């Protein structure tokens, strides 16, 4: 009898151990019900059913609110979610019945008691890192109160802004700009000017999509830069009724500006409006260019150029929740830019046909004015309460007319080259209609399928008139119409299988192009072609705070009007420039290995990538039989680029945060189309290669009296082109700010300075053609100081959540969570 009892006890203990040793993978996503966003770094505890004294497991959500954790045990348990400022949420679960256990989407509500009596101090992470996308949370950066969007872009991972405000994404200038997930022609046509004039307070976040997926257009070799505007969600809780806004003014030696931002919600209606204006005067840029031909001809040109740019933009967004399952959104945006550039130059010619040489001077005046309109309407319908099955219909209109006038006066004549005074006026107009349908549905637990189609109707006209001595010259003028229609369809699958995630898609775009010349030296032509564009990414979750991903995508770049237009620009008497109507679409292949790691204090992103293009479009130059330098474009380059980019954001102490954002790339460029003498290849092909590095390092420091200091140093080495290189730059930026009146009033002073003499930056470029060498030195007066004052107003709690600095309390809160996690021991 004792043996039987002993056997039964042993079996029960063994069975109990087996049951407790059984593991179930629990996953899901925790969302903020008000903002409809993932709740980052929330604490998740698992208790035995009906008990709350000691958890059997404890972990935190990632920066997007996702969680994935193995939990031991079998039977009924309680899972409890808690986050600062939110009501504690408890759900009953059963472990051991199914594995993995997907809890789906879980919504947390605001803690009304805490909102009334205690200020919420939790801070969202500045960066959200995914395998194929990275998002910089502009609204949570202290500098957003005083900086422009262009200033904030310098901090964004995989984005570089050089000393002349040129923007590159992942080392490439071939990218598209989206606003709230939709393409925006105005932003894409001149992003640096728009971002320089836009206050950062109008933007919620900046997303860098290196692998946008099949849903997005295939255009843009480097991917998509998506600007998410700061506005209310029409599906937010109606208890958030109210409004908030920010008025801002800035003044400095380089620019003047002002803006007003307002958003809010009233019942089912949400709205946001932006009005901004700026006057930019970057200063006097000087250029010195020396060119030597193999036949002994020399040219030395020195010039000085001054630019002034008034810019105004206004936008309105309306969202209306028709019912619990459908939403309607309307957007409208208008901007106006009037740039005026005046300059003088002096050119000295010598050698060969120029004998002992001669010189001439010139004055140049250019005016560019552009007024653009963009509007959209989209309807989204959900078919289940989890909002995982939906249909979206979108229409978008972009209209952008522009006029460019150029005047060149020489004040002298010559029998050797044509120094006739000349004037040109170019009027172009672009109209773009977009119709889009997107449908998303769940296939199984953790799996979704998205399909859709898109039609773009693009119509552009260009009327360029050319005058000599005030007399119209039809032989040098051009008038044509360019139509580009694109029909696209896509399918994309997303699946999550425990620690593994997969996304694969296929997009097909068929393009029709028609060009009709009413005047000029071009021929009418029509062409059509199809592009099959695959994308894929795989992700493995190493731990709750780290993941590893592998991505592949193909991106294309269609040549635009300026690349295709055969109009010959003769404003320079010794040089010609024109487009090439025979250009083909450029196809780029991108492969990336991505590693992300994040804790309550540290965020790290590493991206090892390779890009290759067999028919890259490149600008190149050569001399013709009249000894005129011709500059045009062609699909003449095979390009390979391998690089490593890295981003580090570390909360060193409760008052100190340090940043690092940089990349190292090796570029190899080859072409068999250009016969350059510098080539060492027996086939006579030209080639160029080299390393390029860019680094941004900085610190954000809280000083006594709660002063906020930000300081950054930015450096970039030279970058390579097929025929030479363009020099790098070195500059520093700093800002000091103080918040008053319960964080409603913000005062700041910021500055930027180049590290060359006089606070300038010097950019040296070199180009080697078949029979010439050209070297250019550009001095850009980048030094500047700006004073900014902003005031936040409103009666909505949203303004408190979006605009307060919480670095210190964030450090304390996340540190305490880490200590709690470390306290979970084997005795649980």
């Amino acid at each position: 009898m004792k043996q039987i009892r002993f056997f039964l006890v042993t079996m029960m203990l063994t069975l109990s151990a087996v049951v407790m040793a059984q593991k179930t993978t629990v996953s899901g996503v925790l969302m903020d019900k008000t903002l409809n966003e993932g709740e980052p770094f929330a604490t998740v505890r698992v208790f035995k059913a009906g008990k709350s004294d000691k958890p059997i497991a404890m972990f935190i959500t990632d920066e997007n609110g996702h969680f994935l954790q193995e939990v031991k045990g079998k039977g009924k348990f309680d899972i409890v979610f808690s986050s600062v400022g939110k009501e504690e949420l408890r759900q009953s679960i059963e472990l051991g019945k199914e594995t993995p256990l997907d809890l789906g989407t879980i919504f947390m509500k605001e803690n009304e008691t805490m909102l009334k009596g205690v200020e919420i101090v939790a801070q969202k992470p500045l960066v959200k890192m995914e395998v194929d996308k990275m998002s910089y949370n502009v609204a949570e950066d202290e500098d957003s109160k005083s900086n422009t969007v262009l200033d904030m872009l310098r901090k964004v991972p995989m984005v570089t802004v050089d000393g002349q405000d040129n923007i590159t994404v992942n080392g490439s200038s071939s990218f598209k700009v989206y606003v709230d997930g939709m393409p925006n022609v105005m932003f894409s046509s001149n992003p640096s000017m728009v971002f320089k004039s836009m206050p950062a307070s109008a933007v919620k976040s900046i997303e860098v999509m290196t692998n946008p997926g099949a849903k997005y257009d295939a255009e843009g070799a480097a991917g998509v830069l998506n600007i998410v505007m700061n506005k209310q969600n029409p599906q937010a809780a109606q208890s958030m009724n109210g409004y908030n806004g920010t008025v801002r003014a800035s003044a400095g030696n380089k620019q003047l500006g002002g803006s007003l931002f307002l958003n809010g919600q009233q019942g089912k209606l949400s709205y946001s409006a932006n009005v901004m204006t700026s006057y930019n005067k970057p200063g006097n840029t000087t250029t010195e260019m020396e060119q030597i031909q193999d036949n002994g001809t020399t040219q030395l040109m020195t010039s000085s150029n001054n630019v002034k740019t008034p810019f105004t933009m206004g936008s309105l967004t309306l969202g209306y929740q028709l019912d619990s399952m459908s939403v309607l959104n309307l957007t409208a945006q208008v901007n106006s830019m009037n740039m005026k550039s005046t300059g003088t130059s002096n050119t000295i010619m010598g050698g060969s046909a120029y004998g002992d040489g001669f010189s001439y001077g010139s004055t140049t005046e250019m005016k560019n004015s552009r007024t653009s309109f963009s509007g959209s309407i989209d309807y989204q319908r959900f078919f289940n309460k989890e909002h995982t099955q939906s249909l979206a219909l979108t229409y978008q209109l972009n209209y952008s007319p522009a006029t460019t006038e150029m005047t060149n006066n020489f004040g002298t004549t010559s029998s050797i080259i044509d120094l006739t005074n000349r004037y040109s006026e170019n009027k172009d107009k672009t109209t773009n209609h977009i119709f889009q349908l997107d449908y998303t549905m769940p296939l199984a637990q953790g799996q979704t399928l998205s399909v859709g189609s898109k039609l773009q109707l693009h119509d552009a006209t260009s009327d360029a008139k050319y005058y000599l001595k005030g007399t119209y010259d039809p032989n040098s003028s051009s008038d044509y119409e360019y139509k580009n229609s694109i029909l696209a369809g896509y399918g994309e699958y997303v699946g999550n299988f425990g620690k593994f995630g997969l996304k694969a898609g296929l997009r097909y775009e068929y393009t029709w192009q028609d060009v009709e010349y009413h005047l000029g030296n071009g021929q009418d032509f029509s062409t059509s072609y199809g592009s099959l564009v695959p994308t894929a990414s795989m992700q493995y979750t190493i731990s709750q705070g780290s993941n590893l991903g592998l991505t592949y995508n193909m991106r294309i770049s269609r040549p635009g009007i300026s690349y295709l237009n055969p109009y010959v620009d003769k404003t320079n008497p010794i040089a010609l420039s024109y487009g090439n109507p025979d250009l083909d679409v450029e196809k780029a292949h991108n492969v990336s290995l991505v590693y992300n790691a994040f804790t309550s204090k540290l965020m790290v992103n590493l991206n090892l990538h390779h890009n290759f293009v067999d028919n890259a479009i490149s600008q190149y130059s050569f001399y013709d039989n009249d000894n005129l330098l011709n500059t045009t474009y062609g699909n003449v380059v095979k390009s390979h680029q391998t690089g490593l980019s890295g981003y580090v954001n570390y909360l060193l102490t409760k008052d100190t945060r340090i940043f690092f954002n940089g990349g190292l790339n090796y570029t190899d460029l080859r072409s068999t189309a250009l016969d350059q003498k510098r080539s060492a290849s027996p086939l006579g092909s030209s080639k160029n290669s080299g390393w390029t590095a860019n680094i941004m390092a900085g610190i954000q420091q809280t000083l006594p009296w709660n002063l906020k200091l930000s300081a950054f140093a930015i450096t970039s080495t030279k970058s390579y082109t097929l025929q030479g290189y363009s020099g790098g730059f070195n500059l520093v930026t700093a800002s000091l700010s103080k918040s008053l009146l319960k964080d409603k009033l913000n005062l700041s002073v910021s500055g930027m300075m180049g590290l060359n003499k006089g606070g300038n930056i010097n950019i040296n470029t070199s180009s080697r053609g078949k029979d010439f060498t050209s070297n250019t030195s550009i001095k850009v007066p980048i030094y500047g100081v700006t004073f900014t004052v902003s005031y936040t107003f409103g009666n909505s709690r949203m303004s408190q959540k979006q605009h307060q600095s919480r670095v210190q309390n964030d450090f304390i809160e996340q540190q305490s969570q880490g200590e709690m996690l470390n306290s979970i021991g084997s005795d649980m």
Side-chain angles (χ1 to χ4, degrees), residues 427-451:
K427 293 184 178 180
D428 62 71
K429 180 176 63 177
T430 300
T431 305
N432 200 28
H433 300 272
I434 299 175
F435 305 87
Q436 185 167 342
L437 180 150
D438 301 288
Y439 178 71
T440 301
M441 63 178 178
L443 295 178
Q445 197 170 55
Q447 302 178 60
T448 60
L449 176 67
S450 299
V451 295

Side-chain angles (χ1 to χ4, degrees), residues 245-248 741 744-746 789-793:
T246 302
V247 59
R248 175 182 178 274
L741 303 180
K744 291 184 176 182
L745 177 65
N746 183 268
V789 55
S790 64
Y791 181 76
T792 300
F793 59 91

Side-chain angles (χ1 to χ4, degrees), residues 6-75:
F6 177 77
F7 176 76
L8 291 175
V9 171
T10 302
M11 288 295 294
M12 292 178 63
L13 291 174
T14 303
L15 181 60
S16 176
V18 170
V19 169
M20 290 305 296
Q22 184 169 347
K23 295 181 179 180
T24 302
T25 300
V26 180
S27 63
V29 57
L30 189 64
M31 302 284 288
D32 182 316
K33 188 174 183 180
T34 300
L35 300 178
N36 199 31
E37 295 179 348
E39 184 68 24
F41 301 130
T43 302
V44 186
R45 300 178 181 87
V46 181
F47 299 91
K48 291 182 180 179
K51 296 184 178 181
S52 301
D53 53 344
K54 184 179 293 187
I56 67 163
M58 181 176 174
F59 47 94
I60 61 174
T61 61
D62 67 14
E63 77 277 14
N64 296 308
H66 293 272
F67 57 90
L68 180 71
Q69 182 72 25
E70 287 186 341
V71 181
K72 295 179 181 179
K74 184 177 181 179

Side-chain angles (χ1 to χ4, degrees), residues 346-602:
N346 184 67
T347 304
I348 302 175
M349 310 290 295
S352 188
Y354 302 113
D356 295 334
F358 76 100
S359 65
Y360 66 92
S362 67
T363 60
T364 303
E365 181 176 300
M366 184 186 73
K367 297 179 181 179
N368 178 267
S369 59
R370 180 183 296 272
T371 300
S372 303
F373 170 80
S374 176
S376 69
I377 177 172
D378 67 86
Y379 169 79
Q380 188 171 22
R381 172 73 180 179
F382 297 98
F383 299 101
N384 57 2
K385 63 180 181 179
E386 296 84 9
H387 287 187
T388 56
Q389 184 176 3
S390 66
L391 174 69
L393 302 172
T394 303
Y395 167 71
Q396 185 178 8
L397 168 67
N398 294 290
Y399 177 70
S400 182
T403 300
T404 302
E405 300 175 75
M406 177 79 77
T407 302
N408 291 76
N409 293 319
F410 300 97
T412 186
T413 59
S414 171
S415 59
I416 302 177
I417 60 175
D418 183 7
L419 294 179
T420 305
N421 292 340
R422 58 202 68 186
Y423 167 79
S424 63
E425 181 186 61
N426 187 10
K427 293 184 178 180
D428 62 71
K429 180 176 63 177
T430 300
T431 305
N432 200 28
H433 300 272
I434 299 175
F435 305 87
Q436 185 167 342
L437 180 150
D438 301 288
Y439 178 71
T440 301
M441 63 178 178
L443 295 178
Q445 197 170 55
Q447 302 178 60
T448 60
L449 176 67
S450 299
V451 295
S453 61
K454 185 175 184 178
L455 174 64
Q456 296 187 62
L457 303 175
H458 182 90
D459 188 1
T461 61
S462 176
D463 182 9
K465 291 182 170 60
Y466 194 76
Y467 298 82
L468 292 173
K469 290 185 177 180
T471 302
Y472 174 61
D473 181 10
N475 296 325
S476 300
S477 301
S478 174
D479 184 4
Y480 72 95
E481 183 175 8
Y482 169 60
K483 292 184 178 181
N484 188 39
S485 301
I486 304 170
L487 179 62
Y490 76 90
E492 186 172 73
Y493 168 82
V494 178
N496 292 294
F497 309 94
K499 292 187 175 183
F500 288 92
L502 171 68
K503 181 168 75 172
L506 197 62
R507 185 181 184 91
Y508 183 76
E509 296 188 348
Y510 197 84
T511 304
W512 295 268
Q513 289 180 324
D514 292 283
V515 177
E516 180 180 354
Y517 292 92
H518 306 293
L519 179 68
N521 57 1
Q523 289 185 328
D524 297 354
F525 72 89
S526 298
T527 184
S528 61
Y529 55 86
S531 300
L532 189 63
V533 183
T535 63
S537 65
M538 295 182 294
Q539 177 175 317
Y540 175 72
T541 302
I542 301 173
S543 66
Q544 188 67 23
S546 62
N547 57 56
L548 185 69
L550 180 66
T551 71
Y552 163 78
N553 69 77
M554 189 184 90
R555 306 288 296 170
I556 64 175
S557 292
R558 299 180 182 88
I561 295 177
S562 59
Y563 284 64
L564 293 169
N565 188 358
Y567 170 71
V568 181
D569 185 351
K570 300 180 180 179
T571 54
N572 189 334
I574 57 176
L576 307 174
S577 62
Y578 46 90
N580 178 5
D582 297 323
L583 289 176
D584 194 8
V585 61
E586 179 182 301
K587 297 180 180 179
H589 302 268
N590 308 281
V591 180
S592 297
L593 181 64
V594 183
Y595 172 73
N596 295 317
F598 42 89
T599 68
S600 58
K601 296 172 61 177
L602 176 67

Side-chain angles (χ1 to χ4, degrees), residues 19 26 121 130 167 200 248 327 538 627 658 661 731-732:
V19 169
V26 180
V121 294
E130 301 176 40
I167 303 169
R248 175 182 178 274
V327 178
M538 295 182 294
N627 203 41
I658 58 176
N661 184 19
L731 59 91
V732 293

